[in-house]
Amino acid sequence: MKISTITLLEELKNRTGQHLQYAETLLLKPDNDLNFRMDTDSWSVLECLEHLNRYGTFYIPEISHRISSSRTSSTSDFKPGILGNYFAKSMLPKDKLNKMKTLKAMNPIHSQLNKEVVNEFIKQQEQLLHLLEKASTINLEKTKTAISISKLITLKLGDTFRFVIYHNARHIDQAENVLKNI
């Protein structure tokens, strides 16, 4: 599977823009709604965003560093890697979400959270949009990033963007479902 680099970056920018707009609407919600959980083992809206913020804290500096140090020029097409494509596709929201275990350090359950979590998420989405813009000048296949679970495994930058943004989409869907149940 090959995809136009421009098409890929535009799709990712559009998704990120939607995540940003959604987060901005959350600032208008009462704290009680944002902290509501459907049961004791499920995440609240703020916990969903805090989980994403924790991943963003790793991936945004990693992506930024790799873009800044890349000496490659952009190409017209992007071909996902086998592992990166698998990771990215596994994050896409589905009608029936497959539950996944999260690393303990990335699990915010029962944290004391407030709207600062939403503000941080908004800031991270703005940073992602900026990085997607900068990425249009480099090769998304040859530029590699480390992943949060192991510095030994690297993914193509295009796959890393897809993983991070699809992961965001997955938990935005989760947050929307929580609010529907209030």
Side-chain angles (χ1 to χ4, degrees), residues 2-181:
K2 269 189 181 181
I3 183 168
S4 153
T5 300
I6 293 169
T7 302
L8 174 64
L9 291 172
E10 283 305 311
E11 182 230 332
L12 296 173
K13 283 184 219 171
N14 287 339
R15 280 184 185 264
T16 303
Q18 290 168 0
H19 299 160
L20 177 60
Q21 286 178 329
Y22 177 72
E24 288 169 343
T25 69
L26 294 177
L27 292 172
L28 305 173
K29 302 270 184 206
D31 286 357
N32 285 347
D33 288 0
L34 298 179
N35 280 299
F36 171 80
R37 69 179 73 238
M38 292 191 282
D39 60 60
T40 56
D41 294 329
S42 66
W43 287 350
S44 68
V45 170
L46 291 179
E47 287 168 337
C48 290
L49 294 187
E50 174 62 16
H51 172 71
L52 296 176
N53 289 346
R54 291 177 185 190
Y55 274 97
T57 298
F58 172 81
Y59 281 105
I60 290 171
E62 174 67 9
I63 291 168
S64 180
H65 170 70
R66 300 304 175 163
I67 288 173
S68 297
S69 60
S70 179
R71 301 290 170 246
T72 64
S73 297
S74 65
T75 56
S76 59
D77 291 321
F78 173 75
K79 186 176 191 295
I82 293 168
L83 190 60
N85 197 41
Y86 170 78
F87 284 153
K89 283 185 167 182
S90 72
M91 286 299 121
L92 277 170
K94 301 168 187 68
D95 287 339
K96 178 73 173 114
L97 265 188
N98 50 327
K99 290 227 180 209
M100 295 182 170
K101 275 293 237 191
T102 191
L103 299 172
K104 189 173 171 123
M106 299 300 184
N107 190 345
I109 196 153
H110 303 300
S111 300
Q112 295 291 352
L113 302 171
N114 58 40
K115 286 186 182 158
E116 277 309 304
V117 170
V118 181
N119 288 322
E120 175 62 22
F121 183 76
I122 288 169
K123 186 177 107 193
Q124 288 187 7
Q125 297 317 290
E126 290 168 344
Q127 290 171 320
L128 263 179
L129 285 170
H130 177 70
L131 291 170
L132 286 163
E133 201 59 50
K134 286 174 73 173
S136 65
T137 63
I138 64 167
N139 188 314
L140 300 181
E141 285 183 41
K142 290 189 176 165
T143 305
K144 309 279 184 165
T145 66
I147 63 171
S148 60
I149 58 173
S150 172
K151 302 270 190 226
L152 302 174
I153 300 172
T154 59
L155 297 180
K156 296 176 179 183
L157 177 59
D159 287 331
T160 301
F161 273 127
R162 291 171 65 226
F163 169 80
V164 170
I165 293 165
Y166 295 172
H167 183 237
N168 288 350
R170 175 187 191 86
H171 290 292
I172 292 286
D173 273 15
Q174 183 183 5
E176 287 174 335
N177 288 334
V178 171
L179 288 176
K180 285 179 193 168
N181 284 287

